[in-house]
Amino acid sequence: MDTVLYLLFLGAVVFTIVAQIKVNRTFKKYSAVRASSGLTGSDAARLVLYSSGIAGVQIAPVSGSLTDNYNPQTNTISLSEDVYGAYSVAAAGVAAHEAGHACQHAADYYPLRIRNLLVPVCNFTSKLTFPLLLIGMLLTYFNEYIGVRVMMVAVAAYAVAVVFQIITLPVEFDASKRAMAALSGSGRYTPDELAGAKKVLSAAALTYVAAMSVSLLQLLRLLLMVSGRRR
């Protein structure tokens, strides 16, 4: 069982690496394709917001590459250097996706609400997981009952991160769905450009699937570890 689990975990790690390479290559490929609409990434984000009748969302540049995000607390879409002022198909897709999150927030999309509630909890528990696990393992040499209980708390803390990863999937898929619907409905992008933007978003979605796979297998490994200690 341990061998199978480690092979699955290794496969998930490889999948994560491949997914990251794919998203970088796909983004680079369609960053070189200029959108015939003449719209920048920030324009595409505004287009998505306008199509949903949403106002009051700030759109600002942020440093880095693929650092794009939407902050519901400040109601701000932050677009990276390769997206904010770029006229590419990739920029349109990424910016529209982040605007899709703003649309979710405005519509009080339930999975997004749950994910936002989990963010501070996940940030807290993620710092506890491995220190508690180490303390629990050490305690088992002196008091097995207490040590195992501490390890169980560590596993429960890690499980919060796994739940966060699972909830992230529908949130990201729905944001991309909203983005593509708005770009298509605008009539400003050709079918080929829409297909390219969709490929960029699909490649990005793979990274979330990979992250969830690694988290689930890591949780299973921790559960088996604690179960072994209990015996």
Side-chain angles (χ1 to χ4, degrees):
M1 180 62 183
D2 286 344
T3 302
V4 173
L5 182 59
Y6 278 116
L7 287 175
L8 288 173
F9 187 79
L10 178 61
V13 172
V14 172
F15 178 34
T16 300
I17 296 172
V18 171
Q20 191 59 55
I21 292 174
K22 182 176 178 60
V23 72
N24 288 334
R25 285 183 175 177
T26 306
F27 181 79
K28 182 178 180 180
K29 176 181 178 179
Y30 288 100
S31 288
V33 179
R34 185 183 176 94
S36 60
S37 63
L39 299 178
T40 64
S42 58
D43 292 331
R46 293 187 186 93
L47 186 153
V48 174
L49 296 174
Y50 178 79
S51 69
S52 299
I54 298 172
V57 179
Q58 293 185 341
I59 302 175
V62 64
S63 61
S65 179
L66 294 177
T67 50
D68 313 88
N69 66 89
Y70 169 68
N71 188 333
Q73 295 181 333
T74 60
N75 203 23
T76 301
I77 296 172
S78 297
L79 300 177
S80 62
E81 298 168 353
D82 297 330
V83 172
Y84 183 86
Y87 295 89
S88 69
V89 168
V94 172
H97 174 86
E98 297 307 330
H101 285 309
C103 294
Q104 291 174 332
H105 181 66
D108 197 23
Y109 181 58
Y110 192 66
L112 179 65
R113 192 200 313 175
I114 296 176
R115 190 177 76 165
N116 290 340
L117 289 174
L118 281 176
V119 169
V121 179
C122 191
N123 289 338
F124 176 72
T125 57
S126 63
K127 297 175 183 178
L128 295 178
T129 300
F130 291 102
L132 282 177
L133 190 64
L134 179 59
I135 292 171
M137 292 174 65
L138 292 174
L139 285 175
T140 56
Y141 292 104
F142 304 98
N143 188 311
E144 183 176 346
Y145 179 85
I146 295 177
V148 169
R149 265 58 190 176
V150 172
M151 290 176 69
M152 290 174 66
V153 172
V155 173
Y158 187 78
V160 175
V162 176
V163 172
F164 181 84
Q165 294 282 1
I166 293 173
I167 293 176
T168 290
L169 288 183
V171 172
E172 296 299 330
F173 289 148
D174 181 76
S176 291
K177 182 179 179 181
R178 292 171 188 259
M180 292 309 303
L183 293 182
S184 178
S186 71
R188 301 295 300 273
Y189 296 89
T190 68
D192 286 344
E193 290 169 349
L194 291 172
K198 187 174 183 179
K199 287 180 180 179
V200 171
L201 297 183
S202 295
L206 279 180
T207 62
Y208 294 105
V209 175
M212 186 197 69
S213 300
V214 171
S215 295
L216 281 171
L217 289 170
Q218 178 74 322
L219 177 61
L220 179 57
R221 189 178 75 85
L222 292 176
L223 286 170
L224 291 175
M225 181 189 299
V226 173
S227 178
R229 292 280 177 167
R230 291 179 69 178
R231 289 195 298 269

